[in-house]
Amino acid sequence: MTGGDDVAPGGAGIRALGGWGRARRRARTVRDEEFTAFVESAGTRLRHNAYLMCRDWHLAQDLTQHTLAKMYSVWERIRSGTNLDAYSRRVLMNLVFDQYRRRSGSEIVVAELPDQPDGAAGGTPELRMDLADALASLAVEDRAILVLRHAEDHSVETVAAIVGVSVSAVKMRNARALGRIRALLGEDFLAR
């Protein structure tokens, strides 16, 4: 046989290759649908946590998009057998930490007040803004611990795994950060 040894008479080999292409397209479609479902379920949470960390809705959106882009690039590897919520939190926190290492200064410029949740956080807008200001005064790692521990209600062990520190470090930094928040806001803060 000459040159066409792997193509059966009548083009059967070509039809087999066409079937392979359809299978790849179907697999890609399924993968994209799974990723889209993940984004729809986790995107708001990621953006909210990013905002709590940086207090800038535009930067929070960018950090969320970067998180999702990084996840999409490795989606085949992580889509099964991985805790996607934990993985996404870790990627987001790494991006936030990287952003603060690169960023000089702590000034946050906003044209208007950020969107407010629909009664989810409780309290007055002024109370929430005071708390957000106090949170912003903390080191980014301490802020991450408070957001993950109290805003997301994760266990100390989970927070330690996400942030990459020991359980005792999470407990110590959490207590110290809460003490700083209380000192900044005053003891009568909760009575307001």
Side-chain angles (χ1 to χ4, degrees), residues 43-56:
T44 301
R45 174 187 52 83
L46 287 170
R47 191 171 39 258
H48 180 256
N49 288 343
Y51 174 75
L52 288 174
M53 294 299 297
C54 66
R55 295 193 59 224
D56 177 343

Side-chain angles (χ1 to χ4, degrees), residues 72-174:
Y72 185 76
S73 70
V74 295
W75 188 252
E76 283 296 322
R77 181 174 49 88
I78 66 169
R79 72 189 232 200
S80 60
T82 302
N83 180 339
L84 296 174
D85 286 333
Y87 189 94
S88 65
R89 276 190 293 278
R90 183 67 189 161
V91 171
L92 177 65
M93 290 301 156
N94 286 341
L95 289 168
V96 169
F97 296 157
D98 289 346
Q99 175 69 27
Y100 274 87
R101 282 185 206 110
R102 284 184 300 221
R103 197 175 194 184
S104 63
S106 60
E107 183 177 351
I108 299 173
V109 179
V110 293
E112 56 189 61
L113 290 176
D115 296 338
Q116 297 294 321
D118 297 331
T124 66
E126 294 81 16
L127 193 66
R128 288 192 299 269
M129 291 302 294
D130 288 344
L131 186 56
D133 289 341
L135 189 62
S137 72
L138 300 176
V140 68
E141 293 84 4
D142 291 343
R143 197 176 325 152
I145 289 170
L146 288 182
V147 167
L148 292 168
R149 184 77 179 101
H150 300 286
E152 281 209 358
D153 199 28
H154 288 291
S155 69
V156 172
E157 294 79 13
T158 302
V159 173
I162 292 169
V163 177
V165 298
S166 69
V167 169
S168 61
V170 169
K171 290 178 181 179
M172 179 187 66
R173 291 177 89 162
N174 183 60

Side-chain angles (χ1 to χ4, degrees), residues 10-76:
I14 294 171
R15 282 193 296 274
L17 288 176
W20 181 74
R22 281 191 296 278
R24 282 181 48 108
R25 282 191 298 277
R26 272 195 304 274
R28 188 177 322 144
T29 299
V30 168
R31 180 194 68 208
D32 288 349
E33 288 171 354
E34 288 174 352
F35 185 74
T36 300
F38 171 74
V39 169
E40 289 172 350
S41 70
T44 301
R45 174 187 52 83
L46 287 170
R47 191 171 39 258
H48 180 256
N49 288 343
Y51 174 75
L52 288 174
M53 294 299 297
C54 66
R55 295 193 59 224
D56 177 343
W57 279 114
H58 299 290
L59 180 57
Q61 181 67 27
D62 288 346
L63 291 168
T64 302
Q65 291 299 319
H66 286 295
T67 298
L68 296 172
K70 283 182 174 283
M71 290 185 70
Y72 185 76
S73 70
V74 295
W75 188 252
E76 283 296 322

